[in-house]
Amino acid sequence: MSTRRLTVAQALISFLSRQYTERDGHKQRLINATWGIFGHGNVAGIGQALVESASEMRYLQGRNEQAMVHAAVGYARQSNRLSAHAVTTSIGPGATNLVTGAALATINRLPVLLLPGDTFATRPADPVLQQLELPSAGDITVNDALRPVSTYFDRVTRPEALIPAALAAMRVLSDPAETGAVTLALPQDVQVEAYDWPEEFFSERVWRVRRQAPDPDELAEAVRLVREARRPLLVAGGGVHHSAAEDVLATFAEATGIPVAATQAGKGSLPYDHPCEVGGIGHTGTATANELARTADLLIGVGTRWSDFSTASGTLFSNPDVHFLNLNVTGFDAHKLAADPLVADARTALQLLAAGLVGHRVAPAYATEYTEDKERWEYRVAAAFTADEDLVRPTQAQVLGALDTLVTGEDIVINAAGSLPGDLHKLWRARSRDQYHVEYGYSCMGYEIPAAIGVQLAAPGRPVWALVGDGTYLMNPTEIVTAVQERLPFKVVILQNHGYASIGGLSETVGAERFGTAYRFRAPDGTYTGAPLPVDLAANAASLGMRVIRAKTVRDLREALAEARAADVPTCVYVETETADTVSGVPPAQAWWDVPVAETATRPSAVKAREQYDRHVAARRRQL
């Protein structure tokens, strides 16, 4: 048997460069690039290997380990999970900085390969720099913090152990039911150790992404449930996008007349102007979708994990005869809410379900009802978007309205945290299957800018927008430097409202009176009052290399957005909006969300909030 003598790091990079996925006859690289920040834990191993393999593996230089994972996740989502990036870090803080990004990837079922350096396997000195010492366990390192947030974890303590570990990692990354963050911890001494590798290890390998068909009995039961339902509602989750099932969903909805609501991850499964599309569902959803959910006798969940935002913390589905049918590639999600499961690929299951429902349609009166309700909601959207051209400090919704008039289905809009996800879920008019990219599984502040970089890498030539509030921008702006370095012409829109608008509003509703949510000077009595802090985020973005356009009025804003869209360099549009403690004009929440309120309190605001909380809790229902 022929062999090749390489270090572990060299062998791993060579192996990764020859891994592919294939679905529906389309083949692509599984690991298309490696992000890295180097330190003593990986510079001599993975770093040296990437230098030698520059023609085979693209290297991307990051500035923050968490942000590198976010960028890789953005790339994977835009690539329909068929292609991914690797991320390498040093040991110690470099490795533990991966944890937040790994959790986000796994919660959202998005593939990313993590290659953190690890402490010496041979323990030549004990402890070494950045080693965690536990008197009760000598084999634990800080990388073990990645175990609960990884769908697969292995520590490669011998060269020959890389072969099964690498193959297992590729299997999980390419598995639509198991994918997420995959971690291969690499002790720094093992990375540089040479080994005679069998040539077969470096052969091109194709991982076929299966389209699992449903069990015939489960399919027959699903057909029966849909045929017997009088008020069915389909809820599209992120699995619709991952499966590339949008066209099949549109055909299914048109044939049956069943209305389609969407979770945050599923928005855009149908374009906003499709006759059966009724908007977002749950706490941040539309009045149309939520009223249909309250009266539905059958909820058809397609590719959704049914988070508390989507179910309004168990209070939304109030029809006493409601039943659930879940189409999902994982049995874990398919059985949620005591549903009848249809465990299968979303596109395959929808095609077969449609074949069993030929000739079946909802009653005309039901279709008329949701169509008219949707028209009424659109008037509310238009009202929230409308603004006088000379208006200074527009609302957040009016900023979205200005962007809405500019974009086409080619644009991609990215957001993750703050009050923007709620406004976007309610109001945004998604024009294409991948225009709406809101990460709300982990809702991680600081995701937007690095994710936009990953999306731009996956979709070169398309306008990519990162929408960020001041709170999110302050969390993680450093990857702007990476975008400048890589000449990626993405766009950042900074909405400056001088505080945490989302949590400020929530704080008020739970009796905490917006405490600690505004960016103000501290007064002698301990309160934060007076003028906003003299912080200039536009100047900060410019200092990191971005071209910055400041907009004062709505007219300025429209011109700035158009200029940014046409730019061929990273460009930022900065706009001062209504402050965080003012009313935005967006329709209020159409459904509840459970945030526990103090059971005892001395301040009247908290006492009142608890009374309201108890009323909502009484409406919660466990689906059994």
Side-chain angles (χ1 to χ4, degrees):
M1 180 177 67
S2 61
T3 60
R4 191 187 309 180
R5 190 162 183 81
L6 298 170
T7 69
V8 168
Q10 293 163 354
L12 177 58
I13 297 302
S14 183
F15 169 84
L16 293 177
S17 70
R18 291 167 175 79
Q19 306 304 302
Y20 294 83
T21 62
E22 183 179 312
R23 188 175 73 179
D24 304 331
H26 300 290
K27 184 174 130 180
Q28 50 274 305
R29 277 275 294 267
L30 174 51
I31 304 299
N32 209 28
T34 297
W35 290 84
I37 296 176
F38 296 110
H40 66 276
N42 63 343
V43 65
I46 294 293
Q48 189 276 335
L50 285 169
V51 171
E52 289 197 352
S53 303
S55 62
E56 297 179 319
M57 177 66 70
R58 182 178 183 180
Y59 167 68
L60 295 164
Q61 185 181 57
R63 269 74 195 175
N64 173 280
E65 291 88 356
Q66 176 181 318
M68 291 194 299
V69 185
H70 291 337
V73 167
Y75 176 88
R77 175 167 167 170
Q78 186 63 31
S79 303
N80 273 352
R81 306 193 302 181
L82 300 174
S83 186
H85 284 168
V87 176
T88 181
T89 72
S90 185
I91 62 175
T96 52
N97 282 350
L98 295 173
V99 173
T100 296
L104 182 147
T106 295
I107 284 172
N108 286 284
R109 290 25 173 202
L110 293 168
V112 60
L113 176 61
L114 307 180
L115 304 173
D118 212 329
T119 51
F120 286 81
T122 53
R123 304 184 191 180
D126 196 22
V128 297
L129 179 64
Q130 299 178 326
Q131 179 177 331
L132 175 70
E133 288 188 278
L134 293 179
S136 61
D139 62 341
I140 291 178
T141 77
V142 295
N143 284 337
D144 287 277
L146 287 159
R147 287 182 184 271
V149 293
S150 299
T151 54
Y152 179 82
F153 179 98
D154 202 351
R155 179 175 285 111
V156 181
T157 57
R158 290 288 306 149
E160 57 267 37
L162 177 66
I163 294 176
L167 291 171
M170 298 304 103
R171 176 188 63 78
V172 174
L173 287 170
S174 61
D175 189 321
E178 293 187 38
T179 195
V182 168
T183 300
L184 295 181
L186 303 170
Q188 58 177 319
D189 52 344
V190 177
Q191 285 184 50
V192 301
E193 188 174 344
Y195 184 73
D196 293 321
W197 305 91
E199 278 291 345
E200 290 84 356
F201 184 56
F202 305 110
S203 299
E204 181 179 302
R205 192 179 301 267
V206 177
W207 301 85
R208 288 182 175 80
V209 180
R210 62 183 176 277
R211 288 198 178 277
Q212 182 178 347
D215 175 83
D217 291 338
E218 288 186 356
L219 178 62
E221 180 62 11
V223 170
R224 183 189 69 80
L225 289 170
V226 177
R227 284 190 174 275
E228 291 182 357
R230 295 294 173 261
R231 299 182 63 84
L233 174 64
L234 189 147
V235 176
V240 174
H241 293 311
H242 299 328
S243 179
E246 297 89 355
D247 290 344
V248 173
L249 174 61
T251 300
F252 176 88
E254 290 157 11
T256 63
I258 295 174
V260 176
T263 67
Q264 285 280 16
K267 192 172 172 75
S269 294
L270 294 182
Y272 82 98
D273 55 356
H274 189 283
C276 294
E277 201 274 344
V278 295
I281 193 168
H283 178 64
T284 54
T286 68
T288 304
N290 285 342
E291 189 55 36
L292 290 171
R294 291 184 181 97
T295 59
D297 58 358
L298 178 66
L299 273 300
I300 307 169
V302 182
T304 176
R305 63 191 189 96
W306 290 117
S307 75
D308 63 337
F309 258 67
S310 300
T311 67
S313 298
T315 63
L316 185 56
F317 310 115
S318 52
N319 186 329
D321 299 318
V322 68
H323 199 83
F324 290 81
L325 169 65
N326 287 340
L327 285 66
N328 205 292
V329 74
T330 70
F332 174 73
D333 288 317
H335 282 85
K336 287 178 178 175
L337 300 175
D340 274 270
L342 191 59
V343 181
D345 167 75
R347 196 183 78 169
T348 301
L350 283 170
Q351 287 174 326
L352 294 173
L353 190 58
L357 293 169
V358 172
H360 175 76
R361 282 189 65 83
V362 300
Y366 185 48
T368 299
E369 174 190 332
Y370 69 71
T371 299
E372 292 178 350
D373 281 350
K374 179 182 176 181
E375 290 175 356
R376 285 189 285 270
W377 181 260
E378 281 299 316
Y379 285 121
R380 300 181 72 178
V381 173
F385 279 175
T386 301
D388 184 275
E389 293 295 292
D390 295 320
L391 176 66
V392 177
R393 289 187 182 276
T395 66
Q396 186 166 271
Q398 289 166 336
V399 174
L400 296 179
L403 185 60
D404 174 79
T405 63
L406 176 69
V407 301
T408 69
E410 186 182 18
D411 296 68
I412 303 168
V413 175
I414 299 167
N415 185 244
S419 56
L420 271 166
D423 290 359
L424 286 162
H425 200 208
K426 287 193 191 89
L427 306 176
W428 188 255
R429 295 162 171 163
R431 293 160 172 81
S432 62
R433 61 165 300 276
D434 61 353
Q435 181 180 82
Y436 187 89
H437 181 135
V438 173
E439 187 284 300
Y440 218 55
Y442 209 45
S443 188
C444 186
M445 294 178 73
Y447 171 82
E448 294 89 342
I449 289 173
I453 292 170
V455 170
Q456 191 76 85
L457 288 166
R462 293 180 63 179
V464 177
W465 301 84
L467 307 183
V468 299
D470 47 278
T472 283
Y473 180 85
L474 288 168
M475 283 276 183
N476 200 7
T478 53
E479 293 311 310
I480 287 173
V481 178
T482 300
V484 172
Q485 182 178 36
E486 296 292 330
R487 297 184 173 90
L488 299 172
F490 83 127
K491 302 88 177 58
V492 175
V493 180
I494 301 176
L495 295 88
Q496 170 65 281
N497 60 21
H498 300 284
Y500 299 116
S502 174
I503 295 303
L506 178 62
S507 174
E508 192 167 50
T509 64
V510 300
E513 302 176 21
R514 294 185 177 268
F515 176 74
T517 61
Y519 296 159
R520 311 275 184 177
F521 285 105
R522 183 183 180 91
D525 64 358
T527 62
Y528 293 87
T529 58
L533 299 176
V535 175
D536 191 340
L537 300 185
N540 179 266
S543 76
L544 296 176
M546 285 201 100
R547 177 187 177 192
V548 176
I549 310 170
R550 296 176 185 259
K552 290 186 177 180
T553 67
V554 171
R555 182 180 289 106
D556 295 339
L557 176 63
R558 295 189 192 281
E559 293 172 357
L561 292 171
E563 188 175 342
R565 189 175 188 272
D568 60 0
V569 295
T571 303
C572 170
V573 174
Y574 175 88
V575 58
E576 296 257 353
T577 64
E578 283 192 339
T579 56
D581 54 358
T582 57
V583 178
S584 69
V586 175
Q590 305 298 306
W592 184 61
W593 181 47
D594 189 350
V595 177
V597 178
E599 192 168 359
T600 62
T602 58
R603 299 179 71 86
S605 60
V607 173
K608 181 179 179 181
R610 180 66 193 199
E611 292 171 354
Q612 294 174 339
Y613 176 80
D614 289 337
R615 284 196 294 272
H616 284 297
V617 166
R620 176 181 284 133
R621 175 185 177 192
R622 294 199 180 274
Q623 303 297 337
L624 299 173

